[in-house]
């Protein structure tokens, strides 16, 4: 069959894409930036598109030509710089249904359990309205509602589980006693395949989750054991104490960073992640322990877990380092100008002080803006060595400065390289 997968570069979408390609289907993957995924899966036809811009039925006409099935794996946790929930999860889907109405198409929708404690948050309400519209459209459909998805790779909530599990000495945990149902990523991909094959009949609306019921605390400790780390105490953090972190994560979301600590994730977790609908009546689904055991952890998983929560502090420290280095010379302008005065006329020395300070400030600010972060980090890697070379040629004695004026630049370069290495999210 010819199958179009929306969100094919995502955590669930990429697994579904591989599964269907392996089964011999002709797969077209749609994603916002499929370039890297296209290198990993060259046998897939790739389309670069943002669902938030596909809110009219005519946006779908050419995309749907020749397709027999559409699998919707796309979605976003929360509104932010890079995400518009209403456009992506509702209006684009309504436009898709309108364009698909006169075609012989099956739509397989990867949704979520929308009848939870936080049912009115945008993430769940937009999915619920899109699901209801699909069910009323007359188009053949299957709606799948996976619980918390665990797989060999990790993204979002599953990445946060690993990061929390790797905490040294003790694990701080909000909503430690919330109940969490999990489902293996491979089981979600198999359910999509079953929907396409007709094993799950059209009109099905089923939840995907194992029979196991764990608390969040138990699930984190299970991941810690999987990582090969010794047991440590879990410290229950009151939800009110987690609010400053949630607020900061929401602010970061406005700058394009998709943190799993944002308010939507916390609201969902406060009520637990449980199955409230009829479960999949097909083969038994793997438990969390079985899912993790099927993919034993390696040292790279431990590195990922330990580095995951360090990414934000790393970016913030680099931002402050460059901002401060750009602002301080304005308060000691003559001393800063003297470093250039040995080689340049007074006026040009002053211009160089202002120019380098502004460059530092720009880099310190732009690294906080996710779409420009990579460019800012590369700019830091170009500028910092240039500063070192220039200072060494003009005032080599600065290497012996008791305050380490030049020595401090070297670890900042290494920190920049680290930030660049862990910048990618998937």
């Amino acid at each position: 069959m010819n199958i179009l997968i929306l969100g094919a570069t995502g955590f669930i979408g990429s697994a579904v894409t591989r599964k269907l390609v392996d089964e011999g289907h002709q797969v077209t993957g749609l994603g916002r930036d499929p370039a890297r995924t296209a290198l990993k899966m060259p046998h897939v036809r790739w389309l670069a598109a943002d669902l938030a811009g596909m809110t009219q039925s005519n946006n779908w006409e050419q995309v749907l030509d020749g397709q027999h099935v559409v699998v919707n794996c796309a979605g976003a946790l929360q509104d932010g710089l890079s995400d518009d929930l209403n456009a992506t999860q509702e209006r684009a889907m309504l436009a898709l249904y309108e364009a698909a109405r006169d075609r012989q198409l099956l739509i397989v929708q990867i949704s979520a359990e929308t009848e939870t404690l936080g049912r009115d948050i945008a993430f769940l309400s937009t999915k619920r309205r899109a699901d209801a519209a699909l069910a009323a459209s007359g188009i053949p459909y299957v709606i799948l509602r996976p619980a918390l998805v665990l797989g060999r790779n990790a993204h979002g909530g599953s990445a946060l589980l690993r990061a929390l599990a790797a905490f040294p000495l003790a694990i701080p945990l909000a909503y430690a006693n919330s109940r969490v149902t999990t489902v293996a990523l491979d089981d979600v991909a198999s359910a999509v395949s079953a929907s396409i094959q007709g094993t799950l009949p059209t009109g099905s609306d089923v939840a995907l989750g194992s029979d196991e019921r764990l608390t969040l605390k138990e699930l984190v400790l299970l991941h810690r054991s999987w990582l090969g780390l010794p047991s440590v105490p879990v410290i229950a953090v009151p939800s009110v104490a987690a609010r400053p972190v949630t607020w900061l994560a929401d602010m970061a979301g406005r700058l394009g960073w998709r943190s799993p600590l944002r308010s939507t994730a916390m609201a969902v977790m406060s009520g637990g992640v449980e199955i409230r609908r009829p479960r999949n009546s097909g083969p038994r689904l793997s438990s969390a322990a079985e899912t993790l055991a099927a993919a034993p952890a390696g040292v790279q998983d431990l590195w990922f877990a330990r580095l995951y929560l360090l990414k934000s502090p790393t970016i913030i420290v680099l931002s402050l380092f460059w901002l401060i280095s750009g602002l301080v010379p304005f308060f000691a302008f003559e001393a800063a100008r003297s470093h250039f005065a040995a080689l340049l006329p007074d006026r040009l020395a002053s211009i160089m002080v202002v120019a380098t300070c502004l460059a530092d400030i720009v880099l310190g600010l732009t690294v906080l803006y996710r779409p420009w972060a990579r460019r800012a980090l590369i700019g830091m890697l170009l500028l910092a060595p240039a500063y070192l070379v220039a200072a060494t040629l003009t005032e080599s004695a600065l290497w012996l400065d008791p305050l380490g004026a030049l020595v401090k630049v070297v670890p900042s370069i290494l920190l920049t390289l680290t930030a660049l290495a862990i910048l990618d999210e998937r």
Side-chain angles (χ1 to χ4, degrees):
M1 289 188 180
N2 295 332
I3 302 175
L4 172 67
I5 301 180
L6 311 181
T9 60
F11 177 51
I12 295 176
S14 57
V16 170
T17 300
R18 288 190 184 92
K19 173 77 171 175
L20 297 181
V21 168
D22 289 345
E23 292 180 349
H25 297 289
Q26 300 299 311
V27 176
T28 298
L30 185 147
R32 277 187 285 198
D33 186 12
R36 180 172 296 178
T37 311
L39 295 175
K40 299 176 184 178
M41 292 187 275
H43 301 300
V44 176
R45 172 176 172 253
W46 291 97
L47 298 176
D50 187 347
L51 290 183
M54 301 179 68
T55 56
Q56 303 297 321
S57 61
N58 59 7
N59 299 138
W60 291 93
E61 294 297 334
Q62 288 186 324
V63 177
L64 296 179
D65 283 347
Q67 302 297 335
H68 303 120
V69 181
V70 176
V71 182
N72 177 25
C73 303
L77 179 67
Q78 188 169 325
D79 284 328
L81 178 71
S82 306
D83 299 303
D84 182 337
L85 287 184
N86 186 266
T88 300
Q89 296 191 167
E90 184 176 359
R91 288 191 286 127
M93 294 303 101
L94 297 182
L96 166 63
Y97 306 156
E98 184 178 347
R101 187 165 286 117
D102 297 325
R103 300 171 183 259
Q104 297 298 314
L105 271 177
L106 167 68
I107 296 180
V108 181
Q109 183 105 307
I110 307 292
S111 186
E113 177 50 73
T114 58
E115 299 298 333
T116 66
L117 184 63
R119 66 187 306 274
D120 293 328
I121 59 178
F123 169 67
L124 296 178
S125 62
T126 52
K127 280 188 173 292
R128 182 169 57 252
R129 291 193 293 268
D131 295 344
L134 177 58
S137 68
I139 300 168
Y141 72 90
V142 174
I143 298 176
L144 303 174
R145 303 181 187 274
L148 181 63
V149 182
L150 302 180
R152 179 66 189 86
N153 297 318
H155 179 69
S158 56
L160 181 60
L161 285 174
R162 297 185 187 187
L164 290 170
F167 254 79
L169 304 179
I171 300 173
L173 198 60
Y175 308 115
N177 294 317
S178 291
R179 293 287 177 179
V180 182
T181 302
T182 66
V183 62
L185 180 58
D186 288 345
D187 286 340
V188 176
S190 294
V192 172
S193 176
S195 303
I196 293 169
Q197 294 170 7
T199 306
L200 277 176
T202 58
S204 296
D205 185 336
V206 297
L208 300 174
S210 70
D211 295 330
E212 177 185 60
R213 294 180 75 245
L214 299 174
T215 64
L216 180 58
K217 173 183 174 179
E218 291 169 336
L219 187 56
V220 170
L221 290 177
L222 180 63
H223 277 77
R224 187 173 181 87
S225 177
W226 176 71
L227 290 169
L229 297 174
S231 181
V232 294
V234 173
I235 300 174
V237 176
S239 59
V240 66
R243 287 177 188 169
V245 176
T246 299
W247 182 84
L248 289 172
D250 283 349
M251 292 301 101
R254 296 181 181 277
L255 295 173
W257 302 91
R258 297 188 182 97
S259 170
L261 290 169
R262 286 177 288 174
S263 54
T264 294
M266 300 300 277
V268 171
M269 188 53 66
S270 68
V273 181
E274 296 192 83
I275 299 298
R276 302 174 188 271
R277 297 171 188 263
R279 294 174 185 262
N280 176 31
S281 58
R284 175 183 170 276
L285 303 181
S286 300
S287 67
E290 291 167 338
T291 302
L292 294 177
V299 68
Q300 67 273 18
D301 297 294
L302 188 57
W303 284 11
F304 171 84
R306 286 174 170 166
L307 286 169
Y308 187 76
L309 290 181
L310 289 176
K311 179 159 66 173
S312 295
T314 298
I315 296 295
I316 292 169
V317 166
L318 283 171
S319 174
L320 291 174
F321 177 83
W322 284 83
L323 284 172
I324 292 171
S325 68
L327 291 171
V328 166
F330 285 117
F331 296 95
F333 195 84
E334 286 304 315
R337 191 174 63 83
S338 68
H339 294 304
F340 293 98
L343 296 176
L344 301 171
D346 285 352
R347 183 176 177 80
L348 191 54
S350 297
I351 292 173
M352 285 299 295
V353 171
V354 173
T356 55
C357 287
L358 291 178
D360 290 358
I361 291 169
V362 167
L363 289 175
L365 291 174
T366 54
V367 77
L368 297 174
Y369 185 66
R370 181 62 184 88
W372 296 348
R374 183 177 299 279
R375 298 173 199 172
L377 291 169
I378 293 172
M380 292 174 183
L381 288 176
L382 294 174
L383 205 53
Y387 286 164
L388 284 182
V389 171
T392 300
L393 293 175
T394 58
E395 295 187 73
S396 57
L398 284 174
W399 283 103
L400 302 177
D401 189 311
L403 297 179
L406 294 186
V407 174
K408 292 175 182 176
V409 178
V410 177
S412 82
I413 293 174
L414 293 176
L415 191 64
T416 306
L417 287 168
T418 301
L420 199 56
I422 64 175
L423 187 64
D424 293 329
E425 297 173 347
R426 59 178 66 172

